[in-house]
Amino acid sequence: MYDEVGLILPNAVTRRFDEVAEFHASVIRNRQFFLQSELNSTKDQLRSVEEEIQHVDEERSKVMDLLEQSMALETFRSAEADLSRLESSISSLEQRLQQVEALEEGKIHLKAMSLESEAALRAQQSERASLLDDSMALFSRLGKEIYSDRNVSLIIKPTSEGILEITLRIDGDSSTGISEVKTFLLDIVCLVSAIRIGRAPRFLVHDSRLYDSMDDRQVASCLNIGARLADEHGFQYIITMNSDRLDSVAQEGFEGRDYIIDSVLTDRGESGGLFGFRLFNSRRIQFVAA
């Protein structure tokens, strides 16, 4: 090829190529020798392991034959089964132990969160102590208007669970009427307190069911309180009540004529009905409101 292209290589270059080829051939021979040595060593190790396995199998076979000949094979198998059951039981207990440890860690974490929540709640209570004191005082004062001969109190305190515990107390029996008075007082106090800080709509709605178990004197007191506070704080107190009950309450000191919304509903004509429903008879429904 060199002759054809007219190139003449000196003897030094040709000799260098031969030396490089010889060097590479020497490297290949050394590598082959090394790999062959490693292969022979690995084969020897495999033969040694196979011989050891065969020896152990022979020993095991002898032991099993001995057990079978001495009638102890069944005992061995039973012990082997018991061992498997024990290992399974141990594994199950370890899993349960891990679950218990996880639960304990969870309890510790929850306890820490509870303490943080309680601390934060106590800080908020301290910041709003004035508002809470006013609310508790208002509850007691309004309760005295309804029950002049009973102790009435509202207690607000934080608990270890990080929540506020609200306790309503009115001395005497735990009748349904007293429970309804508690509800009325709490609703009124919450609305007034929320209006003071600008966090409530200015209306409160009570259905006549709230007053079902109260006597007429208690109802009159509640309605007078609602009407007075509605004027003082600028909210609307809406009550649904049958007209016959309202007449009875009026005899106990509540004058409701100034607060009645007198509506007549009829199904006559295309504009009649209530919320899209047609009425079969004309009905007269009264509302009391401030």
Side-chain angles (χ1 to χ4, degrees):
M1 180 182 65
Y2 288 109
D3 292 340
E4 291 178 358
V5 297
L7 294 177
I8 300 174
L9 297 177
N11 293 333
V13 174
T14 305
R15 186 171 60 253
R16 181 61 178 165
F17 283 146
D18 293 339
E19 291 174 354
V20 170
E22 178 62 26
F23 172 75
H24 280 288
S26 175
V27 170
I28 293 172
R29 286 194 301 271
N30 290 337
R31 190 62 180 170
Q32 287 177 342
F33 177 77
F34 174 76
L35 293 176
Q36 185 63 44
S37 177
E38 289 294 319
L39 178 61
N40 294 335
S41 176
T42 303
K43 289 181 178 180
D44 291 339
Q45 291 179 2
L46 288 175
R47 281 194 296 269
S48 177
V49 171
E50 290 174 354
E51 291 175 357
E52 183 65 23
I53 292 174
Q54 183 178 0
H55 176 71
V56 172
D57 285 340
E58 291 176 355
E59 291 294 329
R60 180 179 179 277
S61 179
K62 291 178 181 179
V63 171
M64 296 301 291
D65 291 340
L66 178 62
L67 289 173
E68 188 172 8
Q69 292 173 6
S70 60
M71 305 299 293
L73 181 60
E74 191 65 29
T75 302
F76 170 77
R77 289 176 177 171
S78 177
E80 192 175 36
D82 292 340
L83 178 61
S84 297
R85 285 192 294 270
L86 287 174
E87 289 177 346
S88 176
S89 178
I90 290 172
S91 177
S92 177
L93 289 174
E94 288 177 346
Q95 291 179 358
R96 292 174 61 184
L97 178 60
Q98 292 175 357
Q99 293 174 354
V100 170
E101 291 175 348
L103 287 175
E104 289 298 327
E105 292 179 359
K107 289 181 180 179
I108 294 173
H109 181 63
L110 287 176
K111 186 175 181 180
M113 292 179 61
S114 177
L115 292 174
E116 291 178 1
S117 298
E118 183 180 2
L121 187 60
R122 289 187 182 277
Q124 290 184 2
Q125 184 190 22
S126 178
E127 293 174 359
R128 305 195 177 193
S130 177
L131 179 62
L132 293 176
D133 291 342
D134 291 344
S135 298
M136 291 186 283
L138 178 61
F139 186 93
S140 180
R141 186 170 63 252
L142 296 179
K144 284 290 186 179
E145 292 187 31
I146 303 174
Y147 299 107
S148 59
D149 58 341
R150 301 173 187 264
N151 291 322
V152 182
S153 62
L154 168 65
I155 301 174
I156 303 174
K157 62 180 181 179
T159 66
S160 58
E161 289 79 16
I163 60 175
L164 279 178
E165 182 180 77
I166 300 176
T167 305
L168 313 176
R169 292 180 180 172
I170 298 179
D171 289 350
D173 58 24
S174 57
S175 64
T176 305
I178 290 181
S179 297
E180 291 174 346
V181 170
K182 290 179 181 178
T183 301
F184 167 80
L185 291 174
L186 183 62
D187 287 349
I188 287 289
V189 169
C190 286
L191 178 59
V192 171
S193 300
I195 288 175
R196 286 175 177 172
I197 60 176
R199 297 183 60 183
R202 292 180 175 272
F203 67 88
L204 175 64
V205 181
H206 279 155
D207 185 69
S208 60
R209 182 180 179 85
L210 178 68
Y211 299 97
D212 284 347
S213 297
M214 297 185 196
D215 58 37
D216 293 338
R217 184 189 63 80
Q218 293 170 344
V219 175
S221 297
C222 291
L223 296 184
N224 281 319
I225 289 172
R228 185 181 75 248
L229 293 181
D231 290 337
E232 291 179 3
H233 297 279
F235 66 89
Q236 188 176 19
Y237 183 36
I238 304 171
I239 309 148
T240 61
M241 184 173 290
N242 293 334
S243 56
D244 56 345
R245 183 71 190 278
L246 185 60
D247 293 337
S248 299
V249 172
Q251 298 177 8
E252 296 293 335
F254 175 70
E255 184 56 60
R257 286 178 297 179
D258 296 336
Y259 306 106
I260 294 177
I261 299 175
D262 194 3
S263 297
V264 178
L265 304 179
T266 177
D267 61 354
R268 296 174 183 174
E270 293 299 325
S271 61
L274 177 64
F275 300 118
F277 294 94
R278 304 291 292 174
L279 305 176
F280 293 102
N281 296 307
S282 297
R283 297 182 180 178
R284 185 180 180 83
I285 300 177
Q286 290 184 328
F287 298 87
V288 177

